[in-house]
Amino acid sequence: MSPIFDMSDSEVGPVGIATAAEALREGELVGLPTETVYGLAADARNGKAVAGIFAAKGRPHFNPLIVHVLSLEDAGKIAVFDAAAMRLAEAFWPGPLTLVLPRRPDSGIADITTAGLDTVALRVPAHPIARILLSAFGGPVAAPSANRSGHVSPTTAAHVAADLGGDVACILDAGPSGIGVESTIVGFSGEDAVLLRPGGLASAKIEAVLGRKLVAPASDAAVSAPGMLASHYAPAASLRLDVTDVRAGETLLAFGPDLPAGSDRAEAIQNLTMSGDLAEAAANLFAALRRLDRESAAIAVMPIPNDGLGEAINDRLRRAAAPKDRVPTARR
Ligand code: TXA
Ligand code: MG
């Protein structure tokens, strides 16, 4: 069981911050209090660390995660704000509002953090301990709620310990979360501001600042099953899964050291992991798909073990391989 630091203790608190900041730098996970719910935090730029979030949560699929930063200025280095986004950020940050915005090409955010999307979800938390840790760490932090998949979101350090105590380097205990439900998520689609997830900030307050109504997502998939988000990155190329023989014209998405027959005729090869490490494969998945998608219209994918993170990798690959007319259209 990992240490739980009582952040109300003036001697323990600074040790907790130093331990947590160092853990984030080392690519480890931290149980982090925010004003909404406790988060399972990792360095948002470190793909392997973020893969660790999915492994710890036991999620059978990759969701895009929320990136937490200290200020609007830091957020502006990661995403592009139009006038409406700027107005919401200025009105409600720090606080329980998450904005989904176009990701800057040089954002430094790992592809797995955004599940390969060109957009990124950003939030500036108000909780003092979250802010002190962000400041001590000095970088963006990806953090979904710190519960195992299928469990409810944690609002105390004890909840985090019960679900993930063995998976985090430490937990910062700042007492019960004040708000107790996740942040409200707003995205933009053309002229529309879209309510992607109702949460701790009332939509009426957002509408008052915007001067117009929030619209519902194109389908309610984002709310009922975030993992089924229509806004998943979908390659233009077709995918052929569990390939043991590469065909002419195909590129190869490889896993591990033993390549399949016909690999020498592959137009290009991206190996997710030379050593067969599933966390490494998860961290590389979206960037590798994007590169192969640029190289050819057909991607052959080697079999990937279905244990641990392999389940989420295979889920993502099956979605990417599904006939395009059955995949919901991308929402931007
Ligand atoms: O209150 C909160 O927001 C908590 C605390 C810890 O800050 N965090 C949280 O994060 O709930 P998370 O990662 O579980 O929320 C992720 C959700 C996804 O399921 C998806 O609905 C949405 O945010 N999301 C993230 N990135 C997105 C994107 N690029 N496009 C659309 N939706 C996105
Ligand atoms: Mg959650």
Side-chain angles (χ1 to χ4, degrees):
M1 207 48 149
S2 44
I4 301 179
F5 294 100
D6 176 0
M7 301 306 288
S8 68
D9 182 314
S10 62
E11 274 169 27
V12 174
V15 182
I17 293 294
T19 306
E22 180 60 16
L24 291 176
R25 273 180 217 115
E26 294 291 318
E28 296 177 87
L29 308 181
V30 168
L32 173 73
T34 84
E35 71 275 29
T36 56
V37 299
Y38 275 71
L40 179 61
D43 181 348
R45 301 162 299 193
N46 179 339
K48 242 181 133 170
V50 173
I53 291 179
F54 291 103
K57 286 190 66 115
R59 268 190 187 167
H61 47 248
F62 298 125
N63 284 340
L65 302 178
I66 295 174
V67 175
H68 299 66
V69 293
L70 201 52
S71 64
L72 176 52
E73 191 192 340
D74 289 348
K77 293 175 196 149
I78 294 174
V80 181
F81 286 68
D82 66 7
M86 193 61 95
R87 217 173 312 132
L88 292 184
E90 280 170 349
F92 299 114
W93 282 354
L97 171 69
T98 294
L99 296 174
V100 175
L101 299 169
R103 171 162 82 140
R104 290 191 185 279
D106 59 348
S107 69
I109 301 299
D111 279 309
I112 190 174
T113 303
T114 63
L117 297 172
D118 297 327
T119 52
V120 58
L122 282 166
R123 149 163 145 76
V124 175
H127 195 289
I129 300 302
R131 299 187 61 75
I132 293 168
L133 180 62
L134 282 170
S135 164
F137 172 56
V141 163
S145 53
N147 52 280
R148 286 190 60 81
S149 187
H151 293 193
V152 296
S153 294
T155 52
T156 66
H159 294 164
V160 181
D163 262 24
L164 297 161
D167 300 295
V168 293
C170 65
I171 300 170
L172 304 183
D173 180 358
S177 308
I179 294 176
V181 296
E182 288 93 342
S183 60
T184 302
I185 305 181
V186 173
F188 297 89
S189 172
E191 291 301 297
D192 291 333
V194 184
L195 180 63
L196 293 171
R197 180 178 75 183
L201 178 66
S203 18
K205 289 193 177 174
I206 298 170
E207 289 171 344
V209 167
L210 278 178
R212 56 197 154 106
K213 290 272 176 207
L214 290 167
V215 305
S219 78
D220 62 1
V223 177
S224 56
M228 307 298 159
L229 266 185
S231 52
H232 270 310
Y233 164 68
S238 66
L239 265 71
R240 197 162 64 86
L241 305 182
D242 295 323
V243 162
T244 52
D245 191 353
V246 180
R247 296 174 189 158
E250 286 181 329
T251 55
L252 176 65
L253 187 66
F255 181 94
D258 303 317
L259 300 185
S263 299
D264 48 331
R265 42 171 187 260
E267 300 280 326
I269 299 178
Q270 288 284 319
N271 201 327
L272 293 173
T273 164
M274 288 301 288
S275 64
D277 175 40
L278 284 164
E280 187 183 11
N284 290 330
L285 177 65
F286 293 103
L289 272 177
R290 272 174 190 274
R291 275 186 225 117
L292 293 182
D293 201 12
R294 282 198 293 270
E295 298 286 337
S296 88
I299 303 173
V301 183
M302 279 177 66
I304 291 168
N306 207 40
D307 42 67
L309 280 173
E311 201 182 347
I313 295 172
N314 283 318
D315 170 83
R316 189 65 201 80
L317 288 169
R318 271 194 305 275
R319 286 171 200 282
K324 300 287 180 258
D325 58 1
R326 293 186 42 206
V327 177
T329 50
R331 217 182 19 239
R332 308 241 165 229

